[in-house]
């Protein structure tokens, strides 16, 4: 195992989570070849080995070759079972039962949200309903729906924002296919919690990055890191005035598992490192200084038509993670350390 990833996993094992609860348990994880899904699977298998927990994982995939590449170190583990299926097929069924379900599958690329808004909505709604129905049928002990901080839309607030303080989403903007469908899925989770007595919780993740990202990752954080490590200018395609909320990958995994065990049915939880809150342009300068050794500059190239990139509108959002922290969660990695560990991961995996 990569040394950076092992250090991250060992840090999670030190967190306030009673991992013995997972003894002889089974998991169903969707979005298994995505960043969060893959790290959850890798960590749970590692945790199972360290603590002899005998955890079995059913991993939903669409592309077998991609799955075999991502899980090359775990491919021969008899407790990892790949399940091939497409969540857009509403009649999709599964012939196994599990104790825990974590639904992470979603379209996450901004450009896809504006070029394929119908598929974005369908992936969210059909996928969520399929997984919620399955969870009811197999009487899962606990379920996590992976949501997003984008459900907040544009919030006009001069203080940290709690889970019940949603803002405005412009339905005339085609990119709203993503945040609006995420809102509906959270509403669906609440409905299943009340009507079907399903122990399902929504997790609103901040921008999540760190060790574990894939070589093809091209979101803003990866673009910034890649440019700085190459000693190239960091190019901003917006004014960079949006307030960014961030959390390191290992901290996010710890939060998800803690909420899985201790969260309240039907509730939503913010997961963000409040100490890492800053504007996009300030983060760009931080990365240039920390990773680029001041050999790169922050420059602006703002297109007239945002559809070229599909960036979200500027937001002044500062997530309040106190409800998650009350469960016992404490993020370990600030933004500078997150980027240093991301850089080590990228270098060790020849991503630059």
């Amino acid at each position: 195992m990569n040394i950076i990833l092992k250090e991250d996993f060992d840090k999670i094992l030190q967190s306030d989570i009673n991992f013995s609860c997972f003894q002889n348990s089974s998991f169903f994880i969707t979005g298994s070849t995505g960043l969060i899904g893959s790290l959850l699977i890798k960590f749970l298998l590692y945790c199972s080995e360290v603590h002899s927990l005998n955890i079995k994982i059913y991993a939903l995939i669409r592309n077998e070759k991609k799955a075999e590449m991502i899980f090359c170190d775990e491919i021969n583990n008899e407790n990892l079972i790949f399940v091939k299926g497409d969540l857009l097929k509403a009649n999709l069924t599964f012939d196994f039962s599990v104790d825990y379900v974590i639904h992470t599958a979603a379209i996450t690329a901004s450009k896809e949200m504006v070029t394929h808004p119908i598929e974005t909505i369908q992936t969210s709604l059909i996928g969520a309903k399929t997984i919620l129905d399955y969870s009811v049928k197999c009487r899962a002990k606990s379920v996590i729906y992976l949501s997003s901080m984008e459900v907040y839309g544009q919030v006009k607030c001069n203080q940290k924002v709690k889970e019940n303080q949603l803002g405005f989403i412009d339905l005339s903007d085609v990119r709203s296919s993503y945040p609006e469908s995420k809102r509906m899925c959270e509403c669906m989770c609440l409905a299943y919690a009340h009507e079907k007595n399903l122990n399902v919780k929504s997790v609103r993740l901040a921008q999540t990055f760190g060790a574990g990202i894939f070589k093809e990752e091209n979101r803003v954080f990866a673009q910034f890191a890649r440019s700085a490590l190459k000693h190239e200018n960091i190019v901003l395609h917006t004014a960079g005035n949006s307030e960014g909320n961030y959390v390191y990958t290992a901290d996010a995994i710890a939060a998800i598992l803690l909420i899985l065990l201790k969260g309240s049915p039907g509730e939503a939880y913010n997961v963000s490192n409040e100490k890492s809150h800053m504007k996009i342009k300030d983060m760009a300068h931080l990365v240039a200084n920390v990773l680029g050794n001041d050999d790169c500059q922050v420059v602006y190239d703002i297109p007239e038509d945002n559809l070229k990139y599909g960036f979200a509108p500027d937001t002044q959002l500062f997530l309040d993670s106190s409800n998650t922290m009350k469960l016992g969660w404490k993020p370990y990695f600030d933004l500078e350390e997150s980027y240093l560990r991301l850089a080590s991961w990228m270098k060790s995996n020849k991503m630059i």
Side-chain angles (χ1 to χ4, degrees):
M1 179 180 291
N2 179 279
I3 184 62
I4 300 295
L5 207 57
K6 184 179 184 302
E7 290 174 356
D8 285 358
F9 288 175
D10 287 336
K11 197 70 173 180
I12 299 173
L13 290 177
Q14 298 172 22
S15 62
D16 188 20
I17 300 174
N18 183 9
F19 292 107
S20 63
C21 290
F22 298 143
Q23 183 80 49
N24 297 319
S25 292
S26 54
F27 283 75
F28 181 36
I29 299 177
T30 72
S32 298
T33 56
L35 175 61
I36 302 301
S38 64
L39 286 176
L40 278 165
I41 291 169
K42 289 173 180 286
F43 170 73
L44 286 169
L45 291 175
Y46 179 75
C47 176
S48 180
E49 181 180 348
V50 171
H51 290 298
S52 301
L53 297 179
N54 188 35
I55 295 173
K56 180 177 291 187
I57 300 174
Y58 294 89
L60 185 64
I61 62 171
R62 288 187 299 173
N63 187 321
E64 291 180 88
K65 289 185 177 179
K66 183 177 181 181
E68 289 171 359
M69 179 181 67
I70 292 173
F71 298 105
C72 57
D73 293 331
E74 298 83 13
I75 196 70
N76 293 320
N77 191 319
E78 62 182 10
N79 283 332
L80 175 59
I81 303 166
F82 292 134
V83 180
K84 192 172 182 181
D86 187 345
L87 286 174
L88 283 181
K89 295 180 180 178
N91 60 348
L92 186 64
T93 58
F94 308 104
D95 60 358
F96 54 87
S97 293
V98 297
D99 300 296
Y100 300 100
V101 178
I102 304 179
H103 179 39
T104 77
I107 289 176
T108 57
S110 287
K111 193 170 183 180
E112 285 292 300
M113 297 168 196
V114 297
T115 56
H116 297 100
I118 296 173
E119 289 82 352
T120 299
I121 294 170
Q122 288 178 323
T123 298
S124 291
L125 300 186
I126 297 174
K129 187 177 188 306
T130 299
I131 296 306
L132 290 170
D133 285 337
Y134 165 77
S135 300
V136 170
K137 183 179 179 181
C138 74
R139 298 181 181 180
K141 293 179 181 178
S142 185
V143 181
I144 289 290
Y145 170 69
L146 196 66
S147 188
S148 165
M149 66 179 177
E150 286 205 36
V151 298
Y152 286 98
Q154 299 178 55
V155 178
K156 294 183 179 179
C157 184
N158 294 321
Q159 58 189 11
K160 288 188 284 188
V161 175
K162 298 185 75 66
E163 285 84 353
N164 63 347
Q165 296 175 297
L166 299 183
F168 169 73
I169 293 179
D170 182 4
L171 295 185
S172 68
D173 181 353
V174 70
R175 194 190 178 284
S176 294
S177 60
Y178 179 73
E180 190 68 13
S181 63
K182 282 289 186 180
R183 278 191 180 183
M184 187 65 240
C185 288
E186 283 198 23
C187 186
M188 201 185 305
C189 289
L190 180 63
Y192 272 75
H194 281 262
E195 186 174 338
K196 300 291 187 180
N197 199 32
L198 184 65
N199 184 16
V200 56
K201 284 82 69 162
S202 296
V203 174
R204 296 174 183 167
L205 277 186
Q207 180 76 263
T208 306
F209 68 89
I213 70 164
F214 304 136
K215 191 170 185 178
E216 62 271 19
E217 177 63 72
N218 200 40
R219 280 176 284 182
V220 170
F221 63 81
Q223 293 179 26
F224 285 3
R226 200 173 289 118
S227 295
L229 292 171
K230 290 181 178 180
H231 302 287
E232 298 174 351
N233 288 336
I234 293 176
V235 182
L236 290 180
H237 297 295
T238 71
N241 289 321
S242 279
E243 296 180 11
N245 297 270
Y246 307 98
V247 64
Y248 185 70
T249 43
D251 286 332
I253 298 305
I256 290 169
L257 294 175
L258 187 63
I259 295 168
L260 181 74
L261 290 176
K262 299 177 69 175
S264 298
E267 293 295 315
Y269 292 87
N270 290 336
V271 174
S272 179
N273 187 336
E274 295 180 13
K275 294 181 180 179
S276 296
H277 176 84
M278 66 174 61
K279 290 184 177 180
I280 299 292
K281 61 184 178 183
D282 295 328
M283 184 178 75
H285 285 285
L286 179 147
V287 176
N289 294 334
V290 172
L291 300 187
N293 298 317
D294 291 320
D295 290 336
C296 65
Q297 304 295 320
V298 177
V299 299
Y300 294 84
D301 179 18
I302 303 175
E304 293 182 6
D305 184 4
N306 181 49
L307 285 177
K308 179 179 179 182
Y309 296 98
F311 293 131
D314 285 347
T315 59
Q316 281 67 55
L317 175 65
F318 191 160
L319 290 182
D320 183 330
S321 294
S322 60
N323 284 338
T324 304
M325 296 182 76
K326 287 176 184 176
L327 300 179
W329 180 66
K330 184 176 89 171
Y332 291 110
F333 304 97
D334 63 18
L335 197 56
E336 181 172 332
E337 180 66 15
S338 295
Y339 265 105
L340 288 171
R341 297 187 70 77
L342 173 66
S344 295
W345 169 263
M346 294 175 76
K347 289 176 182 177
S348 65
N349 286 277
K350 300 179 180 179
M351 293 184 181
I352 54 173

